[in-house]
Structures are given as structure tokens and as C-alpha cells.
Amino acid sequence: MSLQRSATLISSATAALLILMKLVIGTTSGSVAVLASAIDSVLDLIVSAFNYFAIRKSEAPADDRFNYGRGKIEALAAVIEGTIITISGIYIFYSAVKKAYLGTPTLHVSTAIWVMAASLVITLALVLLLRYVAKKTGSLVIKSDALHYQTDVLSNGAILISLGLLHVSGLEIIDAIVGMGIAVYIIYSAYGLIKEGVYILLDAALEEQVVEQIVSIIENESTVTSFHNLKTRKSANTNYVDVHLVFNGQISLVDAHTATDRIEDAIKAIIPNETWDMNIHLDPYDDSITDDGSGLHHPQSDTVDNEGTTPSYYGSK
């Protein structure tokens, strides 16, 4: 079993434990913050189970039906998870406003404090594990899971503080205010996750600094006279690069191939722990120059920017 799949199983087991702890104390105490955290843990369990399925499918090798593999399942899972997080944030905000309006009392505050303290420790340990796995594998699903539980760490901490203040002061409004704050933070965090997943689904270019390094590597290869049609995208932990390299027409195929190997090795070294899939076309001249039938030659529109001067190889993020 892969490291990613093992991590999702641990996430699922942890979410199940937290659900049991928080749901019992949340329903008996009447604390909207604790109950909101319990609901969030239920969603955690659903999402972790879905992530396990997504990773298992994304790890399947390419075949006749999916020539590039199923890596984008991870991006789809990130979008779904971000949407679920957003919905849970909206519900938590609604529950907090409702409690602020009705002034429902909170019971068993001391027990709730101990439960939330234990939840905080357990969740923090899980976040450290998921961040380690995400860094080692580059998995967007694990990264999104780590982000989700990271928000839980902050929300659990905030709930713990609010329960402590409530225990000392007896002000029920504290519980409602903290619940609102947690909801806003959860929704804000989910936005970045959804955005990243959508970018991958839409085949957005790699990050600007990575593309700039690719351009620099190509330009520093002395045997390459120019290049064009540079395109990049990402799917799961695989980075795709397509480019046309222009060589002097007199260069031997062996020398051109050797130069291409040097470029590929240098590009792979940019992010060595991720997979690179490169499709490099060798040209004896710049075939980006086309004839429009009038005898005038011009660069193709998809290789220049809005002013028609400098090639643009990365998208705005």
C-alpha cells in the first residue's frame, strides 16, 4: 500500500475517533462550537474516505482509455473537498448566529474542555503526519487533507479558549462569537484549495518561477538557436512540458539529441521529487513562422502576448 493511501486510512480512523468524542459532548453540553467541530469531523471522515478512493484511482497506470493516467482525480477531489469545507463553514456560521440570538446555555463545560484538549493534541499529530506525507509525495489530495485538519487545529484551539473563557465568565455569547470566527476562517481556507484544484483541471501552466527556470535552462543551451510553443501543465505529481527547440540545420541528430537530454535532466532537477513528462520537438528552423497566403510572415497568435511581442508561457495565478 502506498504512503498516500496509508495516510488517508489514518485520517479516516482519526476522524471517526474525533466524531465519537465531540458528538457526545457537543450534544450533551449544547455548545455550538463543539457541535460544529463534531459536524466538521463527520465531513472529515467522508472526505478522507473519498480521498482514499481518489488516490487509489489516480495511482492506476495509463491505459488505452486514459493515455495520460488518472492524476486529475486528485484535483477533482480537492475541489469537492473544498466545496464540502465551505458548506460546513456556512452551516457553522448559521448555528453560531442562531445561538447568539437564542442564548442557549452551555452545559458540562469542564468535560467539554477536556474533550477539546484531547482533540487538539490528536489533530495536531495527524497534521504533522499529513504534511510529511504531502511533502514526500507531492500529492494534492494529501496536501488538501493536511490543510483541512490544519484548520481543525486552529478551530479546536479557538474552541478550547472560548470554553475556558465561558467557564470563567459565564458569557454564552463567547461560544457564538468563536463559532462565527471559525466559520469565516474555514470558508477562507477552502477558497485556496478550490482554486488550486480548478487550475489543475483547466490545465493551467506551472508556477511562474518554475516556467522561468525552464526558459532559462533552454536559453543557456548553446546548441539551441531558439524555441517556441512552450506549454506546461500539472496533473497529480506529474509535470508536463511541451516545447519546440530550433537547432542549426547542420547539427547531427546525435548532438541534437544529446543537447535535448541535457535540457531534460536540468528541468527534472527543478523539482526532483516529482515526475516529469516532456515532449520535445526538434526543428531545423523556426516553424512558428507561418504564411497567411499574402506573402507576409507573422508569429502565430498563441505564441505572443497581447501586444504581439514577447512570448507568454505561464498563466496568471
Side-chain angles (χ1 to χ4, degrees):
M1 182 181 294
S2 68
L3 187 58
Q4 299 100 302
R5 289 166 66 182
S6 298
T8 58
L9 288 178
I10 294 174
S11 295
S12 300
T14 302
L17 175 62
L18 293 176
I19 288 170
L20 181 62
M21 294 170 57
K22 295 176 184 178
L23 202 56
V24 170
I25 195 62
T27 53
T28 56
S29 68
S31 170
V32 66
V34 176
L35 188 59
S37 186
I39 293 172
D40 190 47
S41 293
V42 173
L43 295 174
D44 289 344
L45 179 59
I46 296 173
V47 167
S48 293
F50 179 78
N51 286 345
Y52 178 83
F53 167 79
I55 289 176
R56 190 168 71 88
K57 287 297 183 181
S58 68
E59 290 176 346
D63 53 31
D64 292 340
R65 178 65 174 172
F66 299 96
N67 299 164
Y68 293 94
R70 298 169 176 81
K72 285 190 179 181
I73 290 179
E74 291 199 10
L76 179 61
V79 172
I80 294 174
E81 181 167 351
T83 303
I84 291 174
I85 295 172
T86 301
I87 294 173
S88 66
I90 294 173
Y91 178 78
I92 291 171
F93 189 86
Y94 164 77
S95 299
V97 172
K98 183 178 179 181
K99 176 162 187 177
Y101 177 74
L102 297 178
T104 309
T106 303
L107 307 172
H108 309 297
V109 177
S110 298
T111 305
I113 290 175
W114 281 107
V115 168
M116 292 311 302
S119 298
L120 179 62
V121 173
I122 293 172
T123 307
L124 181 59
L126 179 61
V127 167
L128 294 176
L129 171 65
L130 292 176
R131 289 177 66 178
Y132 166 77
V133 175
K135 184 177 181 180
K136 190 173 182 64
T137 64
S139 171
L140 180 59
V141 167
I142 300 300
K143 181 181 177 181
S144 64
D145 222 18
L147 174 62
H148 193 172
Y149 283 103
Q150 186 174 316
T151 63
D152 286 353
V153 168
L154 296 176
S155 63
N156 288 342
I159 293 170
L160 189 58
I161 293 173
S162 72
L163 289 173
L165 294 174
L166 174 61
H167 184 63
V168 173
S169 66
L171 296 175
E172 295 292 341
I173 192 66
I174 293 175
D175 186 49
I177 292 174
V178 171
M180 293 179 196
I182 292 172
V184 171
Y185 179 77
I186 286 175
I187 294 171
Y188 173 78
S189 300
Y191 169 75
L193 184 60
I194 294 173
K195 180 180 177 182
E196 184 175 0
V198 169
Y199 269 133
I200 292 178
L201 290 174
L202 295 179
D203 284 334
L206 299 179
E207 294 183 358
E208 183 174 337
Q209 59 267 31
V210 175
V211 177
E212 288 176 347
Q213 291 182 67
I214 294 174
V215 171
S216 178
I217 289 170
I218 295 174
E219 290 179 340
N220 288 333
E221 174 55 52
S222 58
T223 58
V224 175
T225 59
S226 66
F227 70 97
H228 52 276
N229 288 354
L230 173 59
K231 300 176 183 178
T232 64
R233 66 184 179 92
K234 188 179 184 68
S235 179
N237 67 333
T238 300
N239 301 306
Y240 293 89
V241 179
D242 294 301
V243 66
H244 286 215
L245 302 180
V246 181
F247 293 90
N248 185 297
Q250 303 304 313
I251 192 173
S252 70
L253 178 60
V254 172
D255 290 340
H257 189 274
T258 300
T260 300
D261 286 342
R262 285 196 297 266
I263 291 173
E264 288 182 346
D265 292 340
I267 291 176
K268 290 177 181 177
I270 296 175
I271 311 178
N273 64 326
E274 294 188 0
T275 303
W276 291 83
D277 189 322
M278 285 174 264
N279 180 23
I280 300 180
H281 184 79
L282 280 58
D283 287 334
Y285 59 87
D286 190 347
D287 61 3
S288 67
I289 305 300
T290 60
D291 194 328
D292 62 2
S294 64
L296 299 176
H297 293 76
H298 55 84
Q300 291 179 340
S301 60
D302 63 349
T303 62
V304 297
D305 64 10
N306 293 334
E307 297 179 3
T309 54
T310 306
S312 177
Y313 302 113
Y314 45 80
S316 160
K317 293 190 178 181

